[in-house]
Amino acid sequence: MSEEIKICSRRYINMSYVLTFLFTTLLFGASSTELSENFYEISCPNFTSIVKEEVGARLKTEPRMGASLLRLHFHDCFATGCDASVLLDDTASFIGEKRSEPNNNSARGFEVIDNMKVKVETICPGIVSCADILAAAARDSLGGPSWNVLFGRRDSTTANKTASNMNIKGPHSNLNDLIQGYASQGFTPQELVALSGGHTIGLAKCQFFTSRLSDGNIDPSFKKSLKDFCKVNGENGSHPLDMKTPLTFDNNYFMLLTQLRGLLHSDQQLLKEPTKHFVEVYANNKTAFFEDFTGVMIKMSKLGTLTGNSGIIRTNCRSILS
């Protein structure tokens, strides 16, 4: 290949990256600059306290709810943006995201958000969006790393089941699918690994990991224990994603991956190139994981946000009607 052709090829590749970046920014981040930590400082300064108290009370009676609220925020943002579309019930004009494959009979915590919304509406009617409540609840649900949530989102007037099915990668996904899916939302392979660290808490049903038992990259004793568990509990039996510290947000999830003890196929796939290095870094450095996780959570919370007049403030998070 001549030097002139090489230079033109490099320029074409570089321009492709630029165009991809610009498209992603326009699609997902154009309105995020309007978000602010102090958005409700005057209009509803106590709303975050209500969310924190409600989350804390629920975690005392149902510790696994923390993982459910974190997952709910993730599934909301990755469908059409952080617009609370995941909370909407079906209507005559659309089938909601609750009925999508990643959420159907799986997504939880809707009633917790409902309770928060009722209490917030009591003190600040028509002010705080369901999308902002969901973002705050996800932060307060972990009992581990924390971050300053940006506020100012408005709620969508519709939901998109198709987008939820397309954009949220399932437990049987291979690494290339994961990397491409996250890249389409503007995330790097390292950010994919950091976000996946949310699996350090939560549960998964046997039906979602029985195929994992046929993988070659699984610890034999772990494989046997999973077979025994599912034989006793059936396909709806729920097993911790991190069986070592299932209720503690830490970096044990990554340690287990290095031991070939990842519960889901999609989890264990991360111990391959080009993401293997990041798994090993986080397995050995909890501080690094926490820093990167909080950074990518803030980035995720800006996806496709509706601000200004581009959305509404729902009185009922399940419906666009008051």
Side-chain angles (χ1 to χ4, degrees):
M1 182 184 292
S2 69
E3 188 61 30
E4 290 83 0
I5 294 176
K6 288 181 181 179
I7 293 172
C8 289
S9 177
R10 285 197 297 270
R11 286 176 177 171
Y12 174 79
I13 293 173
N14 289 338
M15 181 58 66
S16 296
Y17 279 123
V18 170
L19 290 174
T20 300
F21 174 78
L22 289 175
F23 174 77
T24 301
T25 301
L26 289 172
L27 183 61
F28 295 113
S31 62
S32 64
T33 54
E34 298 179 42
L35 303 180
S36 167
E37 293 178 34
N38 304 315
F39 189 83
Y40 297 110
E41 186 175 19
I42 296 175
S43 60
C44 194
N46 296 324
F47 112 83
T48 54
S49 298
I50 292 174
V51 171
K52 188 172 184 177
E53 290 172 5
E54 194 71 19
V55 171
R58 190 56 180 260
L59 292 180
K60 288 181 180 179
T61 59
E62 189 180 5
R64 67 173 291 201
M65 184 54 68
S68 298
L69 292 173
L70 176 64
R71 184 171 182 259
L72 204 56
H73 181 44
F74 171 83
H75 282 209
D76 179 45
C77 294
F78 261 59
T80 57
C82 308
D83 56 7
S85 57
V86 73
L87 304 178
L88 286 170
D89 290 337
D90 296 351
T91 71
S93 60
F94 66 80
I95 298 176
E97 293 162 28
K98 292 178 180 179
R99 299 269 297 279
S100 70
E101 186 174 341
N103 294 323
N104 194 32
N105 296 319
S106 174
R108 306 170 68 252
F110 299 107
E111 76 285 358
V112 180
I113 302 299
D114 289 340
N115 292 339
M116 294 175 189
K117 181 61 172 175
V118 169
K119 292 183 177 181
V120 171
E121 283 293 309
T122 300
I123 63 169
C124 308
I127 298 296
V128 181
S129 68
C130 298
D132 279 345
I133 290 175
L134 193 52
R139 187 267 312 275
D140 294 336
S141 69
L142 301 186
S146 186
W147 59 93
N148 294 326
V149 180
L150 303 177
F151 298 116
R153 301 167 191 80
R154 292 175 71 85
D155 300 322
S156 67
T157 57
T158 188
N160 193 324
K161 178 185 175 184
T162 300
S164 181
N165 282 327
M166 289 180 56
N167 296 337
I168 301 172
K169 299 305 175 183
H172 308 300
S173 300
N174 291 323
L175 184 58
N176 285 340
D177 293 332
L178 293 170
I179 290 176
Q180 291 174 13
Y182 277 69
S184 70
Q185 302 273 20
F187 294 102
T188 66
Q190 180 175 4
E191 290 171 330
L192 155 64
V193 177
L195 266 180
S196 298
H199 281 183
T200 190
I201 55 176
L203 307 171
K205 293 181 179 180
C206 286
Q207 60 181 299
F208 297 122
F209 63 80
T210 48
S211 61
R212 164 91 171 108
L213 304 180
S214 301
D215 288 353
N217 57 344
I218 185 170
D219 176 79
S221 62
F222 181 54
K223 177 179 179 178
K224 182 180 184 306
S225 71
L226 293 180
K227 280 186 174 180
D228 292 343
F229 177 87
C230 293
K231 183 177 181 179
V232 172
N233 295 280
E235 67 174 11
N236 288 320
S238 295
H239 191 282
L241 290 159
D242 169 4
M243 70 293 300
K244 187 175 181 181
T245 54
L247 298 178
T248 303
F249 197 96
D250 53 29
N251 63 332
N252 278 325
Y253 162 81
F254 297 108
M255 295 181 191
L256 292 170
L257 294 186
T258 65
Q259 299 164 11
L260 303 184
R261 287 174 167 258
L263 184 65
L264 303 177
H265 174 80
S266 56
D267 288 331
Q268 196 60 58
Q269 285 286 293
L270 298 178
L271 197 69
K272 295 170 64 175
E273 298 299 345
T275 52
K276 179 180 179 180
H277 168 71
F278 305 118
V279 170
E280 294 172 339
V281 168
Y282 296 150
N284 290 296
N285 191 331
K286 183 171 73 173
T287 300
F289 165 50
F290 278 14
E291 289 177 352
D292 290 349
F293 179 81
T294 56
V296 77
M297 283 298 295
I298 293 173
K299 178 176 178 177
M300 185 190 77
S301 74
K302 300 177 183 178
L303 290 177
T305 53
L306 303 175
T307 59
N309 296 321
S310 61
I312 64 173
I313 302 296
R314 292 188 219 137
T315 302
N316 178 350
C317 291
R318 296 172 181 260
S319 173
I320 62 173
L321 303 175
S322 58

